[in-house]
Amino acid sequence: MLLFRMQAATMAAAAAAVGVGVAASGAPAVAAGQRPAFTARPDRTVAPAGGVAGQARAGDTRPVVFVHGLHAGPGVWSSMKDKFEKDIAGDFPSARLHAFDYSDTTEDHIPDNAQRLSDWISAEQLGEVDVVSHSMGGLVARKAQEDGAQIRRIITLATPNHGTGCCWSPTTHPWKACQDMWRDTLIGTQSDFLTDLNVKAHITPDTVMTYAIGTSDGQVAADSVHLDGALNKTIEPKTSGGNCLDPSVHNSILGRDEVAADSMNFLRYGAVGVPKQSALRRSSTAT
């Protein structure tokens, strides 16, 4: 989803090579090594967006919307959606799952795509939704929620919530989205858009869950993914490598069983459904 330090003449060729930069009746058996999902329990309580603790919604049918990142499309969610549909509790049938497609406009400013997401939710008559997002898609979803979209919970996977060093030139980058996501890792500054978004955010462990890959996936550092007040998680990478030109590690989070299981349980129960994990301190100078 992210952008790269390169000469303008090579941008188009490089964009074609990047991962989330490009698109890429009986209970089913649980895959080897996969933690079974929680089944609905009437005694579970959560603090919903309104802030009042209440009973978990067994059989909740609230739509789940998947939001992809830069230079991607809804196809990147095929593995994650398959895991949701095969959930042992059967809480996420295909009719409940939706994917927002803004693949033609991902280079636009993030607020513009956030408005498109909000308009799409209204046009589809989805009502209040939950969002699972990857990379820049998390910023699109968070901005849409801030501007009034009916979004209850947001999961951001490898999202540069505090920017990425793979973006540069805050005012002249040819991709407007990158102007919104830049981060100077040397002096710790970030775009005005991100500063404003994070200042205005109303985040609780029951409304936002973030997921990072190790200390950095080569494109986004964990201290950029994690948000104050959110339920912050980190999963270790299965392979080494990853950089601004190689999104393989950055994209790998979309296929991880543990991430899918935690995501489903967070949508069911909020923070009480997901094992806690201490967030890394936001002090890394990585991307």
Side-chain angles (χ1 to χ4, degrees):
M1 94 80 212
L2 294 175
L3 321 194
F4 321 115
R5 300 181 184 276
M6 62 185 72
Q7 295 299 319
T10 61
M11 285 181 181
V18 298
V20 167
V22 285
S25 55
V30 179
Q34 180 178 355
R35 186 175 65 232
F38 288 117
T39 54
R41 286 179 45 186
D43 59 327
R44 286 241 181 206
T45 59
V46 302
V52 179
Q55 188 167 312
R57 290 173 58 105
D60 185 7
T61 59
R62 180 182 280 99
V64 177
V65 174
F66 295 91
V67 182
H68 62 77
L70 181 68
H71 294 153
V76 300
W77 294 108
S78 58
S79 176
M80 182 76 71
K81 288 178 69 177
D82 185 64
K83 297 179 194 302
F84 271 58
E85 291 172 6
K86 293 179 179 178
D87 167 52
I88 191 171
D91 290 339
F92 298 95
S94 59
R96 187 181 172 188
L97 307 180
H98 307 263
F100 175 54
D101 183 1
Y102 66 111
S103 53
D104 291 337
T105 64
T106 61
E107 293 181 10
D108 287 359
H109 282 299
I110 291 171
D112 294 336
N113 282 317
Q115 184 61 56
R116 292 181 179 107
L117 172 60
S118 182
D119 292 344
W120 178 82
I121 291 172
S122 297
E124 294 293 313
Q125 299 181 331
L126 297 180
E128 186 181 58
V129 304
D130 290 330
V131 169
V132 182
S133 58
H134 180 235
S135 207
M136 188 186 77
L139 300 177
V140 172
R142 291 182 57 212
K143 177 60 175 172
Q145 183 188 54
E146 177 197 306
D147 290 345
Q150 296 185 65
I151 298 174
R152 180 186 64 157
R153 291 184 174 130
I154 297 177
I155 297 169
T156 75
L157 308 178
T159 291
N161 287 306
H162 300 279
T164 169
C166 291
C167 283
W168 83 102
S169 189
T171 59
T172 62
H173 196 287
W175 297 336
K176 296 174 182 177
C178 205
Q179 298 174 22
D180 297 332
M181 293 187 293
W182 71 268
R183 181 189 192 194
D184 189 320
T185 58
L186 295 178
I187 60 177
T189 56
Q190 61 188 16
S191 70
D192 290 341
F193 165 76
L194 290 174
T195 298
D196 185 64
L197 179 65
N198 293 329
V199 165
K200 293 181 178 178
H202 300 286
I203 296 171
T204 73
D206 278 313
T207 58
V208 179
M209 180 174 77
T210 77
Y211 235 115
I213 305 174
T215 57
S216 174
D217 60 25
Q219 298 201 351
V220 184
D223 75 326
S224 179
V225 174
H226 292 161
L227 286 164
D228 292 341
L231 175 63
N232 294 309
K233 300 280 289 183
T234 302
I235 192 167
E236 291 306 310
K238 286 186 174 180
T239 60
S240 59
N243 54 54
C244 290
L245 290 171
D246 174 13
S248 58
V249 178
H250 178 71
N251 296 347
S252 66
I253 197 168
L254 296 169
R256 302 290 294 270
D257 290 342
E258 180 180 342
V259 174
D262 282 347
S263 295
M264 286 185 279
N265 290 325
F266 181 73
L267 297 184
R268 288 186 182 101
Y269 307 118
V272 298
V274 182
K276 301 295 188 300
Q277 181 185 85
S278 299
L280 300 177
R281 289 190 175 185
R282 294 196 55 253
S283 59
S284 171
T285 56
T287 53

